[in-house]
Amino acid sequence: MSEKQTMKTAVHEVTHAMCHDRDVMEELGEKKGQMTREVEALYPCFYNVDLLNYFP
C-alpha cells in the first residue's frame, strides 16, 4: 500500500478501536450493526482527505 493508503487504514482501524470496544459498548448498552460501525470508522478517513492530500 502507499503511505497515504496506510495512513487512511490506520485512522480507520484506530477509530474502530476507540469507538467500538465491545466491553464499553456492552456497558453502555449500545448495539450497532456492522454497517453502522464501518460508516462511523470511515468518516474520519474521508473527513481528513484534504489534510492528507489523499487525492492528488
Side-chain angles (χ1 to χ4, degrees):
M1 284 192 294
S2 70
E3 184 177 336
K4 292 174 187 174
Q5 181 67 30
T6 301
M7 287 298 297
K8 185 192 78 65
T9 301
V11 168
H12 177 83
E13 296 304 327
V14 168
T15 302
H16 272 305
M18 292 176 66
C19 295
H20 305 130
D21 181 279
R22 286 190 175 133
D23 294 333
V24 173
M25 287 178 66
E26 282 182 22
E27 188 176 303
L28 297 173
E30 293 182 1
K31 296 182 192 242
K32 297 179 182 179
Q34 180 66 26
M35 185 67 73
T36 300
R37 292 190 309 267
E38 287 303 321
V39 169
E40 289 177 347
L42 282 172
Y43 178 78
C45 300
F46 291 108
Y47 177 78
N48 292 308
V49 163
D50 291 334
L51 298 175
L52 295 173
N53 295 313
Y54 187 72
F55 296 105

